[in-house]
Amino acid sequence: MKILLASSEVHPFSKTGGLADMVGALGKALAAEGHEVFIVTPLYRGIRGRFTELRRVGVRVEVVLGEMLMEGEVWELRPRPGLRVWFVEQQECFDRLGLYGENNADYPDNAVRFTFFSKAVVQIARLLPGGAPDIVHVHDWQAALVPALLRREGHRTGWTPPRSVLTVHNLAYQGRFAQGAFALTNLPGEYFTMDGVEFYGDVNFLKAGIVYADMITTVSPRYAREICTEAYGCGLDDRLRARGDRLAGILNGVDYDEWSTHRNIHLKHPYSFRKMGGKAATKHDLQRELGLPARADVPLFATVTRLADQKGMDILLGALEEMLAKEMQFVLLGSGDPALQRGYQNLARRHPTKVTVRIGYDHALSHRIEAGCDFFLMPSRFEPCGLNQMYSLRYGAIPIVRRTGGLDDSVVDLTEDEERADGIKFTEFTTRALTGAIRKALVLHDTPHLLAQMRKNAMTADFSWSRTTQEYTQVYQRALAG
Ligand code: ADP
């Protein structure tokens, strides 16, 4: 198949979260299966400097946004056979410090930026060498207008547009803008209805995708069920239920070339479940790097996360206040909500020998933390898939997760299956329930044979891309079947 993936972030070029990892890996995996894959993504500041092999391909886009004309130019990189990444250069839109905003505030013109991007994707779909793709697979709200725009382009010009698939990586981010943004789409008024892109008088990009895509996927089976309920549906559950026969939940895979314990530029001491010495050495180095006492016997808890409401960092702060009376260490790497940043920095000030907080984004350190820690905390309110718990499994760090979304689908608790258990789960979203889970972790740490068994299970759990790719291919086939 010929497949166009459209995403506002793609690892290793641009990243704010799991979306980037997923699209980067999906592109690679589909190409490895023999498909012809194009990834279309914005050319953000700094990419050309870091990837000097980028070349212009001689493709220009001319996008009409309301009454405005915006031009763009395409740059290309070919990371492997069968895979081409097309970067859309548009300096006003994308040559900025951030992807979506700065200083924790969204850019005020995000509707313009991503309507431009979505329209560029539609033009590119018509301009690809060798003809249009079979499937246009768009990701999250930033590209979610594409299915509606493709359909409109078909009606307007008589072109038969490719089939479209929308993946919702996080339903909480919908790209909702005041009604004025509708003019940017140049769609006829009939699209601005309750059954179209309109949402309580506003424009909702993600809803447009949910309504017009041929197939909808989300990133875990449990999250696919959750988002059809009022509690997790973020106001779109009725729309999702209405399209229930077109909705599939597919757990993300892990790029094990990247997240490897034995061949990894970010890890000085390789290890495997048979030879765990490298993990102990990594923990030792990490404790020193973080200014914590380098003690093998003290369990090291960690989290690497966006400091957002979703991630449950509020209940974690409460749980740590109580649990830090015990012999344990904790490290946080993350950034986001200023109040949470302050909360964690205060915690570190009060417990200098037990807590280290690194505010910021640091890819290499995230590898060292996942490899060096004993327990990885993900107490999310909701979690569409979550990649970090799968990375920590591979790195032999026992994940402590709330029973929600992809966390529930990827971790096995002792109470579920004693033989296959590889993590600790709790159910209620409360400080008390999380404190209980951390207490269990401390008991597990003092029970070496059980800890070793769970570590082995964790490190051998397999979330490789081959299964995920197969499931996406089936979704593409269903989209093509009509
Ligand atoms: P989400 O996409 O909701 O942020 P995921 O767990 O799916 O959550 O993916 C998060 C990804 O972003 C992981 O690869 C994680 O390591 C990375 N990440 C998040 N915050 C940071 C940070 N401060 N520094 C380095 N990597 C981070």
Side-chain angles (χ1 to χ4, degrees):
M1 266 183 261
K2 184 167 179 175
I3 301 154
L4 187 163
L5 304 177
S7 172
S8 58
E9 51 187 275
V10 182
H11 179 69
F13 312 106
S14 52
K15 171 166 167 177
T16 69
L19 165 66
D21 289 8
M22 186 278 191
V23 177
L26 176 65
K28 255 168 72 173
L30 287 168
E33 295 279 314
H35 298 291
E36 187 184 359
V37 183
F38 288 81
I39 301 182
V40 182
T41 191
L43 183 72
Y44 296 109
R45 180 177 296 175
I47 295 179
R48 274 185 51 211
R50 284 186 293 125
F51 297 88
T52 49
E53 329 77 281
L54 251 70
R55 291 285 169 267
R56 283 195 170 90
V57 274
V59 170
R60 295 188 67 80
V61 289
E62 289 191 348
V63 169
V64 179
L65 295 160
E67 316 249 289
M68 235 179 344
L69 180 73
M70 257 190 182
E71 293 183 13
E73 165 135 38
V74 178
W75 293 73
E76 181 185 78
L77 192 79
R78 298 187 183 202
R80 61 175 52 215
L83 175 62
R84 301 195 207 182
V85 187
W86 276 24
F87 297 91
V88 182
E89 178 180 39
Q90 211 308 316
Q91 286 181 358
E92 260 171 73
C93 287
F94 303 126
D95 187 11
R96 301 187 185 188
L97 273 178
L99 268 55
Y100 314 125
E102 286 169 39
N103 303 323
N104 221 27
D106 287 343
Y107 290 128
D109 58 347
N110 275 346
V112 174
R113 300 171 73 222
F114 292 103
T115 306
F116 166 80
F117 176 62
S118 300
K119 288 190 167 186
V121 168
V122 173
Q123 284 192 17
I124 285 170
R126 298 197 71 168
L127 295 170
L128 288 185
D134 303 300
I135 293 287
V136 174
H137 181 177
V138 302
H139 297 265
D140 275 355
W141 71 264
Q142 294 89 340
L145 278 179
V146 169
L149 295 169
L150 280 172
R151 182 182 149 118
R152 172 65 190 152
E153 185 72 356
H155 285 160
R156 207 173 57 83
T157 64
W159 175 55
T160 308
R163 298 297 171 136
S164 58
V165 177
L166 165 73
T167 295
V168 179
H169 294 256
N170 194 331
L171 192 66
Y173 300 92
Q174 300 183 357
R176 182 170 171 179
F177 302 99
Q179 186 184 346
F182 184 68
L184 298 170
T185 66
N186 300 83
L187 289 168
E190 71 219 44
Y191 283 78
F192 193 73
T193 66
M194 257 174 69
D195 296 322
V197 305
E198 188 261 346
F199 188 67
Y200 297 102
D202 291 337
V203 176
N204 186 320
F205 285 21
L206 192 67
K207 182 182 173 217
I210 291 169
V211 171
Y212 294 108
D214 292 302
M215 285 293 294
I216 306 156
T217 72
T218 187
V219 286
S220 70
R222 176 158 175 163
Y223 191 61
R225 296 193 297 276
E226 287 174 345
I227 58 178
C228 292
T229 67
E230 210 181 320
Y232 289 86
C234 303
L236 291 174
D237 44 297
D238 57 338
R239 290 291 135 191
L240 287 157
R241 281 195 301 273
R243 302 224 55 207
D245 62 325
R246 296 264 147 187
L247 173 65
I250 301 176
L251 196 70
N252 283 341
V254 171
D255 186 344
Y256 288 124
D257 294 339
E258 184 101 4
W259 294 89
S260 160
T261 56
H262 46 88
R263 228 177 323 109
N264 189 328
I265 48 166
H266 304 300
L267 302 181
K268 218 165 73 190
H269 312 286
Y271 62 97
S272 69
F273 75 87
R274 285 198 186 84
K275 285 180 87 175
M276 290 292 278
K279 184 166 173 76
T282 308
K283 176 175 172 181
H284 180 267
D285 286 1
L286 181 68
Q287 287 169 317
R288 295 190 63 144
E289 176 183 354
L290 299 172
L292 295 169
R295 286 182 52 187
D297 58 320
V298 177
L300 175 57
F301 291 73
T303 190
V304 178
T305 185
R306 291 183 291 116
L307 291 175
D309 199 44
Q310 170 195 343
K311 299 292 179 180
M313 291 297 113
D314 44 352
I315 61 167
L316 180 59
L317 201 52
L320 288 170
E321 290 286 2
E322 183 178 337
M323 293 308 295
L324 282 168
K326 307 267 185 210
E327 278 265 79
M328 62 178 278
Q329 297 175 341
F330 170 72
V331 52
L332 175 138
L333 168 63
S335 64
D337 183 347
L340 281 172
Q341 286 183 190
R342 276 196 303 278
Y344 278 96
Q345 281 167 327
N346 284 338
L347 189 77
R349 249 189 300 276
R350 281 185 284 115
H351 299 275
T353 57
K354 293 189 167 177
V355 177
T356 295
V357 170
R358 288 285 163 91
I359 300 299
Y361 189 94
D362 187 334
H363 185 67
L365 180 59
S366 78
H367 278 263
R368 296 199 294 280
I369 289 178
E370 304 232 11
C373 75
D374 298 296
F375 296 98
F376 194 88
L377 288 150
M378 286 185 80
S380 306
R381 250 185 194 84
F382 65 93
E383 193 60 73
C385 174
L387 289 170
N388 271 324
Q389 81 282 9
M390 297 197 256
Y391 300 155
S392 72
L393 285 169
R394 180 47 60 109
Y395 281 8
I398 301 298
I400 300 174
V401 304
R402 194 167 97 75
R403 229 179 224 108
T404 186
L407 297 176
D408 192 30
D409 287 336
S410 56
V411 174
V412 183
D413 185 83
L414 270 177
T415 56
E416 292 164 344
D417 186 334
E418 220 166 289
E419 271 179 21
R420 287 177 45 244
D422 55 18
I424 296 170
K425 288 180 176 174
F426 65 100
T427 303
E428 265 175 59
F429 186 78
T430 59
T431 293
R432 195 157 154 222
L434 175 54
T435 306
I438 296 175
R439 240 184 262 286
K440 280 190 189 170
L442 293 177
V443 173
L444 179 61
H445 191 258
D446 288 337
T447 320
H449 69 279
L450 186 57
L451 180 61
Q453 169 65 33
M454 284 177 67
R455 273 203 172 136
K456 181 178 169 208
N457 289 345
M459 295 179 75
T460 50
D462 186 5
F463 299 100
S464 50
W465 263 94
S466 48
R467 173 198 46 83
T468 309
T469 318
Q470 220 175 16
E471 290 183 48
Y472 275 106
T473 317
Q474 283 162 7
V475 165
Y476 298 159
Q477 271 153 359
R478 257 203 81 192
L480 286 172

